[in-house]
Amino acid sequence: MSNQYLLNKMKNKMNANKALWEKGDFTRLAATMRESGSALVAKLGITKGLKVLDLGCGDGTTAIPAAKLGANVEGVDIARNLVEAGNARVKAEGLTNITFREGDAINLNDIPDANFDLVVSIFGAMFAPQPLDVAKEMFRVTRPGGRIVMGNWIPGDPTLVAQILKVSSAYTPAPPEGFVSPMLWGVESNVIERFVAAGAQKESISFERETFTFQAPFSPTVFLDTFRKYYGPTMNAFEAAEKNGKEADLQRELEALFESQNQSSDKNTTSIPATFLKVTVLK
């Protein structure tokens, strides 16, 4: 098998990932995540002048709060539309200590070694293919004495996002050969294996279970519609279900899920907590 064939195969995988996240408009979902994003960043010990990389930054749910706390932030995302949206938010906020640009978590070749004090990726880099390369790159660009913090959804968890992905997977075709589920970033033993292979000490890796709450000024049914119209994986699930005549079944399952998870006392607003694995790696 030629090296060119392998390179082309890898490129196609990367392009598929880029296409997935450019397919919808994740900013519509990110708008429901602002409060929890800010709360998470507030606990990271951000100080003025800290150099922060936010990998898989979207339109800035965690990058912008970090900049507001005085960090010098670089946001990197594979989706061009999210980078453009992030830069528009930065301009509107009048921030000068943060930039967004396109890039891929599996190859940060334009970033020097040991360049950041803190590398953050909240529900971002976990979706990149080639997780060993992701861990290697995150560790490489972190300075000695610095930290990596990831937020990763947990496979089989009973809360919202893990269940959306679980339900949706029953309606979509089997993944291609060699596919590694992003949800494996939510398994502690896998995280340890990946970062140790990247050069981390096992003892420097720690875990916590935390909660991210989606808050929306509309009903759970409308919130589901937002996923259906704007979230790439859910869009793909509905397209596949429609081809198989099972669109109504998927809609019914997800509606029941969203309604049961909603903790708002007002049926016209949504407050849904979702558990995630917070990973901290000290270098």
Side-chain angles (χ1 to χ4, degrees), residues 82 113 136 145 173-174 227 233 240 257 271:
L82 298 182
D113 294 355
K136 180 181 175 183
F227 271 86
L257 172 66
S271 179

Side-chain angles (χ1 to χ4, degrees), residues 53-103:
L53 171 66
D54 192 326
L55 196 53
C57 59
D59 70 344
T61 299
T62 49
I64 287 176
K68 286 182 174 180
L69 289 173
N72 295 319
V73 183
E74 183 170 338
V76 173
D77 201 281
I78 199 168
R80 177 177 299 175
N81 55 334
L82 298 182
V83 168
E84 290 172 351
N87 280 321
R89 287 188 68 209
V90 166
K91 186 176 180 181
E93 295 271 6
L95 296 168
T96 58
N97 56 333
I98 176 172
T99 57
F100 289 81
R101 65 174 181 83
E102 283 184 66

Side-chain angles (χ1 to χ4, degrees), residues 72-147:
N72 295 319
V73 183
E74 183 170 338
V76 173
D77 201 281
I78 199 168
R80 177 177 299 175
N81 55 334
L82 298 182
V83 168
E84 290 172 351
N87 280 321
R89 287 188 68 209
V90 166
K91 186 176 180 181
E93 295 271 6
L95 296 168
T96 58
N97 56 333
I98 176 172
T99 57
F100 289 81
R101 65 174 181 83
E102 283 184 66
D104 196 326
I106 67 174
N107 186 359
L108 301 170
N109 58 4
D110 54 350
I111 297 179
D113 294 355
N115 198 54
F116 292 98
D117 302 303
L118 174 63
V119 175
V120 177
S121 189
I122 308 301
F123 322 129
M126 68 172 287
F127 288 101
Q130 298 163 248
L132 289 172
D133 289 340
V134 170
K136 180 181 175 183
E137 286 294 81
M138 293 179 83
F139 195 74
R140 178 184 68 78
V141 302
T142 305
R143 69 163 180 81
R147 286 176 295 153

Side-chain angles (χ1 to χ4, degrees), residues 36-263:
S36 282
S38 294
L40 189 158
V41 170
K43 295 190 288 185
L44 293 180
I46 303 283
T47 52
K48 188 170 182 179
L50 198 77
K51 286 191 70 177
V52 176
L53 171 66
D54 192 326
L55 196 53
C57 59
D59 70 344
T61 299
T62 49
I64 287 176
K68 286 182 174 180
L69 289 173
N72 295 319
V73 183
E74 183 170 338
V76 173
D77 201 281
I78 199 168
R80 177 177 299 175
N81 55 334
L82 298 182
V83 168
E84 290 172 351
N87 280 321
R89 287 188 68 209
V90 166
K91 186 176 180 181
E93 295 271 6
L95 296 168
T96 58
N97 56 333
I98 176 172
T99 57
F100 289 81
R101 65 174 181 83
E102 283 184 66
D104 196 326
I106 67 174
N107 186 359
L108 301 170
N109 58 4
D110 54 350
I111 297 179
D113 294 355
N115 198 54
F116 292 98
D117 302 303
L118 174 63
V119 175
V120 177
S121 189
I122 308 301
F123 322 129
M126 68 172 287
F127 288 101
Q130 298 163 248
L132 289 172
D133 289 340
V134 170
K136 180 181 175 183
E137 286 294 81
M138 293 179 83
F139 195 74
R140 178 184 68 78
V141 302
T142 305
R143 69 163 180 81
R147 286 176 295 153
I148 298 166
V149 176
M150 292 185 80
N152 301 326
W153 301 120
I154 303 166
D157 188 83
T159 57
L160 184 70
V161 181
Q163 289 302 307
I164 292 172
L165 296 172
K166 182 180 178 183
V167 168
S168 298
S169 69
Y171 291 85
T172 52
E177 186 181 350
F179 173 79
V180 180
S181 170
M183 298 299 283
L184 294 178
W185 272 111
V187 178
E188 293 182 13
S189 58
N190 287 335
V191 175
I192 291 170
E193 180 183 349
R194 291 165 182 179
F195 278 112
V196 167
Q201 298 297 312
K202 182 178 178 181
E203 298 74 23
S204 72
I205 306 168
S206 59
F207 304 95
E208 297 172 75
R209 299 265 172 138
E210 294 202 4
T211 301
F212 214 89
T213 303
F214 295 89
Q215 304 276 11
F218 40 73
S219 70
T221 301
V222 174
F223 189 37
L224 167 58
D225 198 48
T226 306
F227 271 86
R228 180 172 180 169
K229 288 179 178 175
Y230 302 112
Y231 184 61
T234 307
M235 294 168 73
N236 285 348
F238 271 101
E239 286 170 12
E242 188 176 4
K243 287 177 184 175
N244 296 321
K246 294 183 176 180
E247 180 185 1
D249 294 336
L250 177 56
Q251 177 74 23
R252 193 160 42 245
E253 271 199 74
L254 288 178
E255 273 187 16
L257 172 66
F258 276 64
E259 291 286 352
S260 67
Q261 298 264 342
N262 187 29
Q263 294 192 0

